[in-house]
Amino acid sequence: MKSFSRRIPRADLLIGAVPGAGQVGKLAVDHLIAELRADLVAEIYSAAFPPQIYIQSDGVAYMPRFQLYHAEHGSKSALLFTGPSQPESGEASYELTSDVLEMAKDAGVNEVYSLAAYILGKEPTERAVHGTATRPELLERLKLAGVKVMDGGEINGMNGLIFAMAPIRDMDGICLLGETAGYYVDALGAKEVLKALARLSGIEVDYSRLDALAAEAEKAIRAMMEEMSKRADASHETRPGHMDYIS
Amino acid sequence: MKSFSRRIPRADLLIGAVPGAGQVGKLAVDHLIAELRADLVAEIYSAAFPPQIYIQSDGVAYMPRFQLYHAEHGSKSALLFTGPSQPESGEASYELTSDVLEMAKDAGVNEVYSLAAYILGKEPTERAVHGTATRPELLERLKLAGVKVMDGGEINGMNGLIFAMAPIRDMDGICLLGETAGYYVDALGAKEVLKALARLSGIEVDYSRLDALAAEAEKAIRAMMEEMSKRADASHETRPGHMDYIS
Amino acid sequence: MKSFSRRIPRADLLIGAVPGAGQVGKLAVDHLIAELRADLVAEIYSAAFPPQIYIQSDGVAYMPRFQLYHAEHGSKSALLFTGPSQPESGEASYELTSDVLEMAKDAGVNEVYSLAAYILGKEPTERAVHGTATRPELLERLKLAGVKVMDGGEINGMNGLIFAMAPIRDMDGICLLGETAGYYVDALGAKEVLKALARLSGIEVDYSRLDALAAEAEKAIRAMMEEMSKRADASHETRPGHMDYIS
Amino acid sequence: MKSFSRRIPRADLLIGAVPGAGQVGKLAVDHLIAELRADLVAEIYSAAFPPQIYIQSDGVAYMPRFQLYHAEHGSKSALLFTGPSQPESGEASYELTSDVLEMAKDAGVNEVYSLAAYILGKEPTERAVHGTATRPELLERLKLAGVKVMDGGEINGMNGLIFAMAPIRDMDGICLLGETAGYYVDALGAKEVLKALARLSGIEVDYSRLDALAAEAEKAIRAMMEEMSKRADASHETRPGHMDYIS
């Protein structure tokens, strides 16, 4: 069961991401939607969600759904795809991606970008953006844009399917993966992905909101670490007393 | 696999509920079907039921199914939806709801009500009716009708989907949830929900059958509690002897 | 995935059974297929079977499938439905039954019979045939034919669905259940069901093959019981010695 | 969700295998594809794979898919079907096979071959090829081609379905199973299957690449066994010392 609303205007690109590690891809797409003042052009409901609705603080009921936005930027136009979570089953992931790519193809899209995370498992220093694509020629473009071309590994979930299934409908697919620790929501990872995307697609936006988000997150993390370090000191101070007690 | 029978006449409203906590919504819809002498206009068979049929006491075989009734009340007409149980899977819940809403839309419905339970986990004193809806404007109408607008939480199962999926087909959706303890079949909860529905929709019926049902239930519960209290007294009497034995 | 072969000729009745307790229904339908020299008119392959094929002793590969036969008997014509096992899921049971009933309806069928077992859990003495149907009027016909009309209980699996789903396509449905112990293949149970079916439908065949099958089964069971009784006697004889050893 | 690309040219035969024991069938089909310089004519994507894509060493993303190739050989033309793994569910196996057979039928195919393994569980000495087919007449051809006709057993998975479902679309089906130990990738088993296929279909290719593969595998296995035997000797030598230590 799926339901599409509204007409989808012409577009050159599809840029998509659903939630994943560090929310890197999702943050990046949401940032584009906000900065480009994109219009909501389709909502996709899926029986792959649990049968559950949420009541918002304003009292209005909310049903989980995927969303497709449309934005213009100079001479370029883009569809922006996002959603609240990964679908619950692999089959639903394939089917939803297939539906979204069909909508994109019908709108004239010829290049599909997935935005995702490249998990380091530790704080990134270099903040490189890694990439893969569906044709060798695209990899040359990635290199010129400063993207590190991957030479192995796998991409799990719907963010992998979005770009990789593009050739089935004769579109190009590119995946940009921003380095992230993976254990916190990473606005800087999202920013680096967007900067690489700007070099590739010409769609450049202001990143100050992501910077502010990152600054806030850093402050919160620093405060937490100072707190932890104080507790560690305090526990050192009490230890002698504790040992006296034992001895 | 689904099978629809009969033509569905024009209707303004869809009012639906499947079994849930305290049977509040189901009792309310069944009461409307009986009081409005509604006509059965569609039966929906579903492969989401177990492959099992039941033999009634008159010897006729019965297959589980969902039912759609039609009723007129003054200048208003309503479709009434109910069924024997929640579908076995989330996917089937979405699909069945989608089918029912399509039938409602085709019949001219523009407002969809789900009737459900607001579980307190203890005997309700105030017997308030809580509500949510699919547009902020509808919440104003709920307030005027004495319904407490919710500001959080979730509604699980098909009763949540019935009203929340209405906007997909350009209909309004309202959910009314009657307070109930949740651990007994609660005719008074159903009555309060129907009274709120009457203030909102103009469809008012006689509630004496629900009152009688509630009185019966109360009598049964009181008898049970007296029985339990007698047993407790009896056990108090025996306790001293028991303590003698211990001391 | 389903595949139907050949044209299905006109028919008045559908008589169907898949394997169940005591193989009562399956034996009965297979007997009709053989005695009426029925023609195979459709084969239904189903993705609900495991992906597995069997090699017969003659070297030919066999794929599990459901089968529809057609037979004439005097002025009556019947479709006969059977298969190698119950479908693996409830959903597949509903869908297959729906497909078969659609084929039957298209062929002009207006009366559908399921043949099944009425499990006693002990050797039946009376060998009654029990029944249920989809309309009260049909129950009167059952009584006149000496069938005991049930007043409760449930019928599980596809044999229940075959007749109970008939009204969805405006056909009558009747289920005949032959008493059986349930723990051996019961040709006499099948014979009694067929005799009741003959009184109801006018389709009467020779039962000598079922009698022969029952006689063989009885001989085998008697031999087994005599063997068990001998062993029991023998073990009585050895017991004293065994006890000597212990004491 | 499935996607087919390109036109499929006329063909007489379909020869197919997906991975199974000893990779016998898969190696055989891959060898034919390479030796006959077959053209890729269709790719079949399936939601039955996990939602996962792979990055190749050249940086290009790869999505798992089934493939259909086309080759000419003298007056004969063949479709060659293969894939990266068995589908994840039985239902998907049936549906994919059904799709492939439909494509084959549309291309004019009238004979379908599955290539598979006949697991011995020990090193094969005779290297016989076993077979089964969908009509008794085909078994005569198998015997003339030196294939041992099976008289029982079952074939699991999609390699069984490929040939056994052929009659549903009025095609003949033949399965050739090469003897293999089952615990190593067996190029000689694949070669024997292809030699039997050549006698039946007239499609003969050079087998030197399979011989080379088998020689490499044999060398590797011999080296491994010598290593194991040396270790066994060495452990004998150290045992006395070990025992001294204990005593």
Side-chain angles (χ1 to χ4, degrees):
Chain A
M1 195 273 317
K2 280 153 239 137
S3 301
F4 309 117
S5 29
R6 301 181 190 81
R7 281 286 153 90
I8 295 159
R10 248 214 93 268
D12 304 308
L13 310 173
L14 170 66
I15 303 164
V18 293
Q23 298 287 92
V24 172
K26 168 83 176 146
L27 274 178
V29 171
D30 283 352
H31 186 73
L32 283 182
I33 290 167
E35 292 293 328
L36 296 172
R37 291 159 206 272
D39 296 315
L40 181 66
V41 292
E43 295 183 295
I44 306 171
Y45 296 85
S46 167
F49 287 121
Q52 204 164 49
I53 68 112
Y54 302 89
I55 292 113
Q56 298 171 340
S57 57
D58 67 355
V60 174
Y62 174 80
M63 245 191 82
R65 70 195 75 170
F66 292 94
Q67 287 143 327
L68 199 62
Y69 288 84
H70 182 268
E72 308 271 351
H73 182 77
S75 66
K76 288 267 178 142
S77 56
L79 293 174
L80 300 156
F81 172 75
T82 191
S85 67
Q86 299 271 347
E88 291 216 319
S89 77
E91 204 179 338
S93 298
Y94 276 98
E95 283 168 3
L96 266 166
T97 305
S98 181
D99 289 339
V100 171
L101 291 174
E102 191 183 357
M103 294 162 89
K105 182 70 185 176
D106 288 349
V109 165
N110 51 45
E111 203 160 87
V112 176
Y113 289 88
S114 284
L115 308 185
Y118 190 96
I119 306 167
L120 290 182
K122 59 173 186 185
E123 188 55 28
T125 50
E126 200 191 345
R127 290 235 166 251
V129 173
H130 301 253
T132 177
T134 55
R135 280 194 301 132
E137 297 74 15
L138 300 168
L139 299 175
E140 294 311 309
R141 280 178 54 202
L142 290 188
K143 283 174 197 159
L144 289 171
V147 173
K148 284 193 171 179
V149 170
M150 297 167 76
D151 61 0
E154 53 196 48
I155 304 173
N156 291 300
M158 199 164 158
N159 287 341
L161 300 185
I162 291 170
F163 84 99
M165 284 173 69
I168 301 178
R169 290 195 159 77
D170 290 314
M171 299 182 284
D172 280 331
I174 291 171
C175 186
L176 300 176
L177 304 98
E179 288 188 354
T180 187
Y183 42 77
Y184 61 89
V185 174
D186 190 352
L188 285 188
K191 180 185 169 183
E192 293 304 316
V193 163
L194 286 179
K195 281 161 67 182
L197 177 69
R199 292 190 292 272
L200 283 159
S201 70
I203 295 183
E204 180 126 39
V205 296
D206 182 82
Y207 304 118
S208 49
R209 280 197 237 186
L210 285 177
D211 286 329
L213 218 67
E216 261 176 60
E218 205 198 333
K219 224 170 89 181
I221 291 169
R222 199 164 294 181
M224 201 173 69
M225 286 175 75
E226 274 171 31
E227 184 61 27
M228 281 167 72
S229 138
K230 272 187 211 158
R231 282 193 205 163
D233 290 350
S235 85
H236 272 293
E237 283 163 22
T238 59
R239 199 159 296 171
H242 185 65
M243 291 187 69
D244 284 345
Y245 181 83
I246 288 176
S247 60
Chain B
M1 193 274 316
K2 280 152 240 137
S3 300
F4 309 116
S5 30
R6 301 183 190 79
R7 282 287 152 91
I8 295 159
R10 249 213 92 271
D12 304 306
L13 310 173
L14 170 66
I15 303 165
V18 293
Q23 298 287 94
V24 171
K26 168 82 176 145
L27 274 179
V29 170
D30 284 352
H31 186 73
L32 282 182
I33 290 167
E35 293 293 326
L36 296 172
R37 288 159 207 273
D39 297 316
L40 181 66
V41 292
E43 296 183 295
I44 307 171
Y45 296 85
S46 167
F49 288 120
Q52 203 164 50
I53 68 112
Y54 302 89
I55 292 112
Q56 298 171 339
S57 58
D58 66 356
V60 174
Y62 174 79
M63 246 191 81
R65 71 195 76 169
F66 291 94
Q67 288 144 327
L68 198 62
Y69 288 84
H70 182 269
E72 309 270 351
H73 182 78
S75 65
K76 289 267 178 140
S77 55
L79 292 174
L80 300 156
F81 173 75
T82 191
S85 67
Q86 299 271 348
E88 291 215 321
S89 78
E91 204 178 339
S93 298
Y94 275 99
E95 284 169 2
L96 265 167
T97 304
S98 181
D99 289 338
V100 171
L101 290 174
E102 191 183 357
M103 294 163 90
K105 182 68 184 178
D106 289 349
V109 165
N110 51 44
E111 203 159 89
V112 177
Y113 289 88
S114 283
L115 308 185
Y118 190 97
I119 305 169
L120 290 182
K122 59 173 186 183
E123 188 57 27
T125 49
E126 199 192 346
R127 290 231 166 254
V129 173
H130 301 254
T132 178
T134 55
R135 281 194 301 132
E137 296 75 16
L138 299 169
L139 300 175
E140 294 311 310
R141 280 178 54 202
L142 290 187
K143 283 174 197 160
L144 289 172
V147 173
K148 284 192 170 180
V149 171
M150 297 167 76
D151 61 359
E154 52 195 49
I155 304 173
N156 291 300
M158 198 165 160
N159 287 341
L161 300 185
I162 291 170
F163 84 99
M165 285 173 69
I168 301 177
R169 289 197 159 78
D170 291 314
M171 300 182 283
D172 281 331
I174 291 171
C175 186
L176 300 176
L177 305 97
E179 289 188 354
T180 188
Y183 41 76
Y184 61 87
V185 174
D186 190 352
L188 285 188
K191 180 185 168 184
E192 293 304 317
V193 163
L194 286 179
K195 281 161 68 182
L197 177 69
R199 290 191 293 271
L200 282 159
S201 70
I203 295 183
E204 179 127 39
V205 296
D206 181 83
Y207 305 118
S208 49
R209 281 197 236 186
L210 284 178
D211 285 330
L213 218 67
E216 262 177 58
E218 205 198 331
K219 223 171 90 182
I221 292 169
R222 198 165 294 183
M224 201 173 69
M225 287 176 75
E226 274 171 31
E227 183 62 29
M228 283 166 72
S229 138
K230 272 186 211 157
R231 284 192 203 162
D233 290 351
S235 83
H236 272 293
E237 282 163 23
T238 60
R239 200 160 291 174
H242 185 65
M243 291 187 69
D244 284 345
Y245 178 83
I246 288 175
S247 60
Chain C
M1 191 275 318
K2 280 153 240 137
S3 301
F4 310 117
S5 32
R6 302 184 189 79
R7 282 287 154 89
I8 296 159
R10 248 214 93 270
D12 305 306
L13 310 174
L14 169 67
I15 303 164
V18 293
Q23 298 287 91
V24 171
K26 169 82 174 146
L27 273 180
V29 171
D30 283 352
H31 186 73
L32 282 183
I33 290 167
E35 294 292 326
L36 297 172
R37 290 157 205 273
D39 296 315
L40 182 65
V41 292
E43 295 183 295
I44 307 172
Y45 296 86
S46 167
F49 287 120
Q52 202 165 51
I53 68 111
Y54 302 89
I55 292 112
Q56 298 172 339
S57 57
D58 66 357
V60 174
Y62 174 79
M63 246 191 82
R65 72 196 74 170
F66 292 93
Q67 288 144 326
L68 199 62
Y69 289 85
H70 181 268
E72 308 270 350
H73 181 77
S75 64
K76 289 268 179 140
S77 56
L79 293 174
L80 301 155
F81 173 74
T82 191
S85 67
Q86 299 271 346
E88 290 215 322
S89 76
E91 204 178 338
S93 298
Y94 276 98
E95 283 169 2
L96 266 167
T97 304
S98 182
D99 289 339
V100 172
L101 290 175
E102 191 183 357
M103 294 163 89
K105 182 69 185 180
D106 289 349
V109 164
N110 50 45
E111 203 160 270
V112 177
Y113 289 87
S114 284
L115 308 185
Y118 190 96
I119 306 169
L120 291 182
K122 59 174 186 182
E123 188 57 28
T125 49
E126 200 192 344
R127 292 231 165 252
V129 173
H130 301 252
T132 177
T134 55
R135 282 193 299 132
E137 297 74 16
L138 300 168
L139 300 175
E140 294 310 310
R141 280 178 55 203
L142 291 187
K143 283 174 197 160
L144 289 173
V147 173
K148 282 191 173 180
V149 171
M150 297 167 77
D151 60 0
E154 54 195 47
I155 304 173
N156 291 299
M158 197 165 160
N159 287 341
L161 300 184
I162 292 170
F163 84 100
M165 286 174 67
I168 301 178
R169 289 196 159 79
D170 290 314
M171 299 182 284
D172 281 330
I174 291 170
C175 187
L176 300 176
L177 305 98
E179 289 188 354
T180 188
Y183 42 76
Y184 61 87
V185 174
D186 190 352
L188 284 188
K191 179 183 169 185
E192 293 304 316
V193 163
L194 287 179
K195 282 160 68 181
L197 177 70
R199 290 191 294 271
L200 282 159
S201 71
I203 295 183
E204 179 127 39
V205 296
D206 182 85
Y207 305 118
S208 49
R209 282 198 234 184
L210 285 178
D211 286 329
L213 219 67
E216 262 176 59
E218 206 198 332
K219 222 170 91 182
I221 291 169
R222 199 164 293 182
M224 199 173 71
M225 287 176 75
E226 274 171 30
E227 184 62 27
M228 282 167 71
S229 137
K230 273 186 210 157
R231 283 191 204 164
D233 290 350
S235 84
H236 273 292
E237 283 162 23
T238 60
R239 199 159 292 172
H242 185 64
M243 291 188 69
D244 284 344
Y245 179 84
I246 287 176
S247 61
Chain D
M1 194 274 319
K2 279 152 241 138
S3 301
F4 309 117
S5 31
R6 302 182 190 81
R7 281 288 153 90
I8 296 159
R10 248 214 92 269
D12 305 308
L13 309 175
L14 169 66
I15 303 164
V18 293
Q23 298 288 91
V24 172
K26 168 83 175 144
L27 274 180
V29 171
D30 283 351
H31 186 73
L32 282 182
I33 290 167
E35 292 293 327
L36 297 171
R37 292 158 204 272
D39 297 314
L40 181 64
V41 292
E43 295 183 294
I44 307 172
Y45 296 86
S46 167
F49 287 120
Q52 203 163 51
I53 68 111
Y54 302 89
I55 292 113
Q56 298 171 338
S57 57
D58 66 356
V60 174
Y62 174 80
M63 245 190 81
R65 71 195 75 168
F66 292 93
Q67 288 144 325
L68 199 64
Y69 289 84
H70 182 269
E72 308 270 350
H73 181 78
S75 65
K76 288 269 178 141
S77 56
L79 293 174
L80 300 156
F81 173 74
T82 191
S85 66
Q86 299 270 347
E88 290 216 320
S89 77
E91 205 178 337
S93 299
Y94 276 99
E95 283 168 4
L96 267 167
T97 304
S98 182
D99 289 339
V100 172
L101 291 174
E102 191 183 357
M103 294 162 89
K105 182 70 185 178
D106 289 349
V109 164
N110 51 45
E111 203 159 270
V112 177
Y113 289 88
S114 284
L115 308 185
Y118 190 97
I119 306 168
L120 290 182
K122 59 173 186 184
E123 189 56 29
T125 49
E126 199 192 346
R127 291 232 166 253
V129 173
H130 302 252
T132 178
T134 55
R135 281 194 300 131
E137 296 74 16
L138 300 168
L139 299 175
E140 294 310 309
R141 281 178 53 202
L142 290 187
K143 283 174 197 160
L144 289 172
V147 174
K148 283 192 171 180
V149 171
M150 297 168 77
D151 61 359
E154 53 194 49
I155 303 173
N156 291 299
M158 198 165 159
N159 287 341
L161 300 185
I162 292 171
F163 84 99
M165 285 172 69
I168 301 178
R169 289 195 160 78
D170 290 315
M171 299 182 284
D172 280 332
I174 290 171
C175 186
L176 300 176
L177 304 98
E179 289 188 354
T180 188
Y183 43 76
Y184 62 87
V185 174
D186 190 353
L188 285 188
K191 179 183 169 184
E192 293 304 316
V193 163
L194 286 179
K195 280 161 68 182
L197 177 69
R199 291 190 293 271
L200 282 159
S201 70
I203 295 183
E204 179 128 38
V205 296
D206 182 84
Y207 305 117
S208 49
R209 282 198 234 184
L210 285 177
D211 285 330
L213 218 68
E216 262 176 59
E218 205 197 333
K219 223 171 91 183
I221 291 169
R222 199 166 294 182
M224 199 172 71
M225 285 176 76
E226 273 171 30
E227 184 61 27
M228 282 168 72
S229 136
K230 272 185 211 155
R231 283 192 205 165
D233 290 350
S235 84
H236 273 293
E237 282 162 24
T238 59
R239 199 158 294 171
H242 186 64
M243 290 188 72
D244 284 346
Y245 180 83
I246 287 176
S247 60

